[in-house]
Amino acid sequence: MKINEVKELLAGTPTCEQLAELKADERSGVQKLLAAYYKRLEKAAQEKERFTKMLSYEKKYYAQGIQYVAGVDEAGRGPLAGPLVIAAVILPQDVFISGLNDSKQLSAAKRDKLYDEVLAKAVAIEVNIVSVSNIDKYNIYTATQRGMAEVLEHLPVRPQVALIDAMPVEAKGMETVSIIHGDALSASIAAASIIAKVTRDRIMERMDVLYPAYGFANNKGYGSGAHMQAIAEFGATKWHRRSYEPVKSMQLEPVVAAVNELYSPQLEPDYVFSINP
């Protein structure tokens, strides 16, 4: 068997007999390919084990006869500009999504890939884009709590239990469980963190086209040096939170009141959050 044929064989699912034959092959190239194959298998097994541990919270409820467990997380509590985005995700009980983790631990490219996989595999997803006016009206903590309750109540499939990253939340007709660092401990919360983060990043990247001076595509609304300089030079946009410094000290008029926008990216794939200058 030629080296290229060995490589092609090991890229698939070789039989035990084929592996035994390759193990007996004394060519160094074959042995290197075989070693790489077993290393891939070990890595895949470790990832499967890690993901299984991330389902431990969900499995506790599945064992009690609960059918649907939602995970809830947000993106954008800290930035000076832009909306807060909250996501709720219900995963199937037998799901496996390789590489799923807290969105902050992943590259943008990996998050984009996982976003598509979560959309494809989830039982249900709901997104809540919390307006700047509601952030200023209620304060970010309360706006987050209210937004999380809203997103759970609007899920296309009703969960019996909701696992929430760090925040205590009450939602009608379901048990809610706050988990510290939940986005790294629960697969459902990690999936929600991916949906929320990717959605918000895309909003900020579109916002950057309309407000290029503020560098929103890079800083995502956080107070980078360039962003702070732009505020000092050009003032605040309608997307800057009046309750956050340094905008708060500028004593500007409140932003125009706007409702939160809820939608399911599975049911409304063409939904586009409206951004106007």
Side-chain angles (χ1 to χ4, degrees):
M1 190 181 298
K2 296 179 180 179
I3 294 295
N4 284 340
E5 293 174 330
V6 173
K7 185 182 295 185
E8 185 177 347
L9 175 65
L10 293 178
T13 309
T15 65
C16 293
E17 291 77 11
Q18 288 170 326
L19 290 172
E21 181 182 345
L22 293 176
K23 188 175 181 180
D25 193 316
E26 296 182 353
R27 287 177 293 174
S28 62
V30 171
Q31 293 308 309
K32 286 180 180 178
L33 289 172
L34 195 58
Y37 169 78
Y38 283 118
K39 189 173 182 179
R40 287 197 305 273
L41 287 186
E42 182 181 4
K43 186 176 180 181
Q46 290 172 348
E47 175 58 19
K48 188 77 173 180
E49 182 180 0
R50 184 194 69 85
F51 189 84
T52 298
K53 289 180 180 177
M54 288 189 73
L55 283 171
S56 59
Y57 284 97
E58 289 84 347
K59 286 183 175 180
K60 180 180 75 171
Y61 291 101
Y62 299 154
Q64 298 172 17
I66 299 297
Q67 185 176 8
Y68 297 124
V69 177
V72 182
D73 202 3
E74 51 74 26
R77 286 180 67 184
L80 312 177
L84 172 75
V85 176
I86 299 169
V89 176
I90 300 175
L91 295 174
Q93 294 189 15
D94 60 350
V95 72
F96 174 64
I97 302 176
S98 180
L100 184 67
N101 205 342
D102 170 12
S103 62
K104 297 186 292 296
Q105 305 299 319
L106 304 170
S107 68
K110 182 64 174 177
R111 287 194 297 266
D112 284 340
K113 180 177 180 296
L114 288 169
Y115 177 94
D116 292 338
E117 189 169 356
V118 171
L119 250 63
K121 292 183 175 179
V123 172
I125 300 174
E126 188 74 6
V127 171
N128 190 359
I129 303 176
V130 179
S131 67
V132 171
S133 63
N134 279 338
I135 292 171
D136 288 339
K137 178 179 179 180
Y138 295 112
N139 75 55
I140 188 62
Y141 186 88
T142 303
T144 302
Q145 280 187 316
R146 292 171 65 96
M148 286 180 167
E150 277 185 330
V151 82
L152 285 168
E153 291 166 6
H154 284 80
L155 261 171
V157 175
R158 187 80 173 173
Q160 292 93 355
V161 176
L163 308 176
I164 301 168
D165 186 40
M167 293 286 290
V169 174
E170 293 184 6
K172 296 176 183 177
M174 68 188 75
E175 179 182 353
T176 57
V177 183
S178 175
I179 303 173
I180 304 298
H181 301 307
D183 47 8
L185 300 174
S186 158
S188 300
I189 297 177
S193 79
I194 294 291
I195 298 298
K197 174 65 174 168
V198 171
T199 300
R200 188 177 192 280
D201 282 358
R202 290 175 180 177
I203 288 172
M204 298 309 296
E205 286 160 8
R206 287 174 47 229
M207 198 176 292
D208 182 71
V209 176
L210 295 176
Y211 303 95
Y214 298 88
F216 290 145
N218 294 318
N219 60 50
K220 302 303 188 286
Y222 284 89
S224 67
H227 185 184
M228 300 294 270
Q229 179 61 36
I231 292 173
E233 187 173 349
F234 303 108
T237 71
K238 70 174 188 177
W239 294 102
H240 281 90
R241 302 171 185 180
R242 287 0 185 202
S243 53
Y244 281 50
E245 293 291 3
V247 179
K248 183 177 181 179
S249 295
M250 296 168 69
Q251 299 183 332
L252 302 174
E253 288 293 318
V255 297
V256 175
V259 297
N260 298 344
E261 295 191 33
L262 290 114
Y263 75 101
S264 169
Q266 292 171 305
L267 302 177
E268 303 173 70
D270 298 325
Y271 173 88
V272 177
F273 179 65
S274 177
I275 301 173
N276 297 307

